[in-house]
């Protein structure tokens, strides 16, 4: 995944970069909440020694982007599915009627969904420190 942005400031080896979110990003809200703000500021490793004001290309490898997406969306979805199906079939196996089994399944599914997000939040600092999930400035764009 590549984006174009403008360096706002440099801190050690990291650059704060202003990028404009494209309409292709959709409205998932992962970058910014709301449509009115299409600008986003992110930190990227400044490997090309760009300076404030430089237009740069930022890259996050596709496989790393997909891994991050799986962590944020896939793991919670798996928690929801496992909670729903496990509780539903478990409740049916021990003799619960249909309605109580469905309620129990909904509660368990939402509980595992919440626990998965809590687990991700608790591991967030470790995940953020992994270099593979950090965008990198790959080149300075000359106008």
């Amino acid at each position: 995944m590549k984006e174009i942005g403008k360096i706002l400031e440099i801190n050690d080896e990291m650059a704060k970069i202003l990028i404009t979110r494209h309409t292709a990003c959709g409205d998932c809200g992962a970058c910014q909440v709301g449509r009115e703000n299409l600008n986003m500021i992110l930190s990227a490793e400044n490997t090309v020694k760009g300076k404030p004001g430089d237009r740069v290309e930022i890259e996050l490898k596709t496989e790393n982007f997909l891994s991050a997406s799986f962590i944020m969306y896939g793991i919670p979805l798996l928690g929801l599915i496992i909670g729903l199906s496990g509780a539903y079939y478990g409740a049916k196996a021990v003799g619960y009627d249909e309605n109580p089994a469905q309620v129990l399944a909904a509660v368990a599914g939402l509980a595992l969904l919440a626990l998965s997000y809590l687990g991700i939040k608790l591991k967030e600092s470790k995940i953020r420190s992994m270099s593979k999930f950090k965008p990198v400035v790959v080149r300075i764009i000359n106008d």
Side-chain angles (χ1 to χ4, degrees):
M1 184 174 92
K2 293 184 179 183
E3 291 287 339
I4 304 294
K6 181 179 177 183
I7 296 179
L8 299 176
E9 64 182 71
I10 304 291
N11 294 321
D12 298 323
E13 296 296 314
M14 299 299 287
K16 267 197 181 165
I17 301 169
L18 175 70
I19 64 170
T20 300
R21 195 168 52 115
H22 298 287
T23 54
C25 291
D27 295 320
C28 76
C31 301
Q32 297 276 340
V33 177
R35 291 183 182 195
E36 64 279 350
N37 190 358
L38 294 178
N39 292 328
M40 177 176 71
I41 296 175
L42 60 85
S43 292
E45 189 176 338
N46 188 13
T47 58
V48 297
K49 307 297 181 209
K51 299 173 187 65
D54 286 348
R55 285 193 52 205
V56 293
E57 182 177 329
I58 307 140
E59 180 179 45
L60 180 61
K61 290 190 178 358
T62 302
E63 60 270 14
N64 297 339
F65 176 73
L66 292 174
S67 295
S69 296
F70 177 75
I71 290 169
M72 285 304 299
Y73 302 110
I75 292 173
L77 179 62
L78 285 174
L80 177 67
I81 292 169
I82 290 168
L84 283 171
S85 59
Y88 177 77
Y89 291 113
K92 294 293 278 181
V94 295
Y96 279 93
D97 290 332
E98 188 71 22
N99 286 343
Q102 289 176 356
V103 171
L104 186 60
V107 170
L110 292 175
L112 279 181
L113 176 73
L115 284 174
S116 65
Y117 275 121
L118 180 62
I120 291 168
K121 183 66 177 168
L122 292 174
K123 296 285 186 182
E124 180 181 11
S125 61
K126 182 179 179 184
I127 293 169
R128 281 186 186 268
S129 68
M130 297 172 71
S131 62
K132 75 177 198 173
F133 293 123
K134 291 181 182 173
V136 177
V137 178
V138 292
R139 72 182 176 104
I140 297 172
I141 299 171
N142 297 323
D143 288 331

